[in-house]
Amino acid sequence: MTRSNESIINEVFKKYSGNLADFGRQSCSRRESRQGFAKFSKMFCDSLVMWGLYNTLSEDTKGVTIGKYMAELRELCSRHSLPCDSIKMVTTGTNIGEEYFSEDMKEAYAAEFAGQSLHMGYIAIKMSLKQCRAKRAVLALSPMLETLRSKHMVLHDIDMTRDCRYVTERRLVEQQLLRNGITKVIKDRSRVGDHCISWMGSSDDTKNIRYKVYNKFVQILESAEVRKSLGSRMEGLVADDDERFMARLLRHKDHGMSRLELTFYGSTLLSLDEYLAHLADARALLSTCRVYDYSYEEMWKERANYIESMVAVHIPAKKVFAYCHWWNSVTSKKYGYMWKNVGSKLVPLLLANYSFNDRPIHYIKVKVDDAGVVEIISEKVYERESGCTAMTLVAGKTKGMFPSRDTCEGLVYEFSEVGIVEHKNISIGWPEKKHSKKSRPLAVLVEKPTSDSHEGYVRWMKKPHSTLFTAGYNILVPGTEYTVVAAGLADFRGNSYWHLVTECGLKVKAGKSLEGIWERWRGQYRGNHGGVLIHKIPKMRFLAERKVKIRGMSVVKCVLVRT
């Protein structure tokens, strides 16, 4: 099977994750907390999912069926004045279960295939609304769902939401839930990170409700969609079409904004009062949860402090280009974008426009063989010329390569107005006027002829951030071999530790055993005056052998692997 472009790009970014700032370990814990969220918005509905029947034994008609269902939904939204932003098919399945489609619906659908082979499956279609007020959504959906049942479609789930002031973390909400006897927390940290948490209701009237709380600003910074590993959504901070959302976003910019979202599963539409009651119960549950007063600007600056370099990848044979500004090691989500039809002549312009000031951009060129194996063709390191203060682009509202403010419809804010301010010469923005591949680059790039470009040597980290590294005991897997590709010293709790990055992207705070073999390894490479040649240390391969205790400290016993 041919590998997808996203899979190939993701593999390369993972290999070079040591050159990306890790936003996944950021915490509010050093701040003073308070109790409970505040300034809740009115309840609104931002999305729902419909299921429609289809014959899985007639795959050639599947596309026609999807088109028919989507057309019917658009027509009904227009007829009942439901403000729909987008309608798209999200998945299909072969098991329709017993909860959604009534026997009458299944019999009616089967009658259309009389004399033909039939196996009923479902097509799931997501309708994203323009943050429609809940009252309006319920009034419009009531007659719509009645009509849709006759067309073999039912409601699968619907989201009801309220935005509020202040932010929290997954661990704090989980503690609050446990104090209230709630244990059905969804184990999805590796998918959503530490600033989001979901749980299922446990009583008879809530068992089909999924509750979710998350930091809206951080969600926009760190991920595109749940199903994608690479994406860009920062345009949602400055150019969202929903004026109410933008007003709410700005209203909370000095304090942080969270979203409380309830997903109701089932084909029955509840009354407005029932939805309101469930949201009120969730709000009461969280009324004593620890939260933080945390501005967008503070959240951005704390993350921007860790940006020291970035990575871009080009697959010339496929004309695919992707850039990545930072990543989240918890979720493996990467912030950036991928474009097709990018020839080699266009790459220098994109590197110049999407790079940071005073920080290198690692440009990786790769090829893929017929078996899907990725091979690095070349790696070069560029940096904007010294003294440059130009902006750094992020993908635009329509995900084009050349975003500008005057090509966006409606009101467009400056990134600085929503907290994405210039910090340490990092300035995110879009040009005022329209530009294109024929325009001059925003900055001049200079190739860096450094020893870092030699694949065989360990890269020296001048200032590793200790909070981004994990103790070897908690991250190294016994029986696994690793290769050290970067190293640096940093203080942690009053002591100096070696901080190592492995080829697979792990950031390890070395324990006694690993520190010992690293010191012996690097000690072999000294200059004429006896000093260690920090830029001439070959990559070190070691085996995490087993977990042991040394002087009462838990460590992983490591041994050097001779090559």
Side-chain angles (χ1 to χ4, degrees), residues 205-218:
D205 64 336
T206 64
K207 63 183 180 181
N208 291 327
I209 303 175
R210 185 190 68 191
Y211 300 78
K212 181 193 264 187
V213 178
Y214 59 94
N215 182 327
K216 187 62 180 174
F217 182 81
V218 167

Side-chain angles (χ1 to χ4, degrees), residues 19 53 294 304 399 417:
N19 301 115
L53 289 170
Y294 201 4
K399 306 303 183 190
E417 292 181 86

Side-chain angles (χ1 to χ4, degrees), residues 214-240:
Y214 59 94
N215 182 327
K216 187 62 180 174
F217 182 81
V218 167
Q219 181 223 20
I220 291 174
L221 277 187
E222 292 186 2
S223 62
E225 295 179 29
V226 173
R227 297 177 179 86
K228 291 188 176 181
S229 61
L230 175 70
S232 171
R233 287 189 62 193
M234 282 178 74
E235 73 281 356
L237 292 171
V238 296
D240 196 282

Side-chain angles (χ1 to χ4, degrees), residues 60-76:
D60 55 329
T61 64
K62 181 175 171 182
V64 174
T65 304
I66 293 170
K68 182 185 72 172
Y69 283 154
M70 292 175 68
E72 287 168 348
L73 289 170
R74 288 193 190 94
E75 193 276 326
L76 285 170

Side-chain angles (χ1 to χ4, degrees), residues 471-474 511-512 547-556:
Y473 183 83
N474 293 323
K512 292 289 185 184
K547 292 186 176 182
V548 298
K549 283 197 173 183
I550 298 179
R551 296 174 188 172
M553 297 288 291
S554 297
V555 299
V556 176

Side-chain angles (χ1 to χ4, degrees), residues 234-489:
M234 282 178 74
E235 73 281 356
L237 292 171
V238 296
D240 196 282
D241 290 330
D242 193 296
E243 293 181 6
R244 285 180 181 156
F245 171 71
M246 288 304 304
R248 202 156 54 241
L249 193 70
L250 291 168
R251 191 181 309 133
H252 297 303
K253 75 172 187 175
D254 294 328
H255 308 280
M257 187 174 90
S258 292
R259 176 160 289 183
L260 172 60
E261 178 182 286
L262 273 61
T263 302
F264 297 82
Y265 293 94
S267 58
T268 302
L269 184 71
L270 304 183
S271 68
L272 179 64
D273 286 342
E274 287 175 299
Y275 288 125
L276 286 168
H278 284 298
L279 264 293
D281 289 344
R283 179 177 173 179
L285 173 67
L286 298 171
S287 62
T288 55
C289 182
R290 285 174 60 197
V291 298
Y292 298 97
D293 189 333
Y294 201 4
S295 73
Y296 302 159
E297 183 174 326
E298 290 175 295
M299 286 187 253
W300 162 246
K301 283 182 175 179
E302 288 196 4
R303 285 161 173 78
N305 282 335
Y306 294 100
I307 300 174
E308 295 183 346
S309 61
M310 62 169 290
V311 180
V313 180
H314 189 222
I315 313 174
K318 290 174 169 281
K319 291 190 173 182
V320 171
F321 175 89
Y323 75 91
C324 185
H325 280 153
W326 52 79
W327 81 309
N328 183 322
S329 63
V330 176
T331 63
S332 294
K333 297 292 178 65
K334 300 158 189 73
Y335 189 88
Y337 208 70
M338 177 180 73
W339 292 290
K340 299 177 182 178
N341 299 318
V342 178
S344 296
K345 290 184 179 179
L346 184 55
V347 168
L349 179 59
L350 296 177
L351 294 176
N353 289 354
Y354 285 85
S355 56
F356 293 113
N357 299 321
D358 305 326
R359 293 154 178 85
I361 178 170
H362 296 261
Y363 171 49
I364 318 300
K365 224 187 310 190
V366 305
K367 65 180 181 180
V368 186
D369 65 18
D370 294 338
V373 177
V374 178
E375 180 185 338
I376 306 297
I377 300 174
S378 65
E379 175 188 352
K380 293 185 178 181
V381 181
Y382 295 96
E383 195 168 305
R384 288 180 171 184
E385 63 181 346
S386 179
C388 181
T389 58
M391 69 175 62
T392 296
L393 296 186
V394 291
K397 188 174 179 180
T398 59
K399 306 303 183 190
M401 290 177 268
F402 303 100
S404 64
R405 291 168 54 78
D406 68 356
T407 55
C408 291
E409 295 182 4
L411 184 63
V412 182
Y413 292 92
E414 296 280 0
F415 282 92
S416 59
E417 292 181 86
V418 290
I420 311 294
V421 297
E422 184 277 327
H423 184 61
K424 295 185 176 179
N425 207 17
I426 294 175
S427 182
I428 303 292
W430 293 337
E432 190 70 36
K433 300 297 182 182
K434 183 178 179 180
H435 61 127
S436 69
K437 63 182 179 181
K438 296 181 180 179
S439 303
R440 293 177 59 184
L442 298 178
V444 175
L445 284 186
V446 178
E447 186 174 354
K448 293 185 65 179
T450 67
S451 60
D452 288 356
S453 298
H454 291 278
E455 286 193 9
Y457 296 106
V458 173
R459 183 170 59 86
W460 176 251
M461 297 183 292
K462 292 181 180 179
K463 294 179 180 179
H465 295 277
S466 193
T467 56
L468 301 180
F469 288 72
T470 304
Y473 183 83
N474 293 323
I475 198 171
L476 297 174
V477 179
T480 304
E481 291 187 4
Y482 300 92
T483 300
V484 174
V485 297
L489 277 170

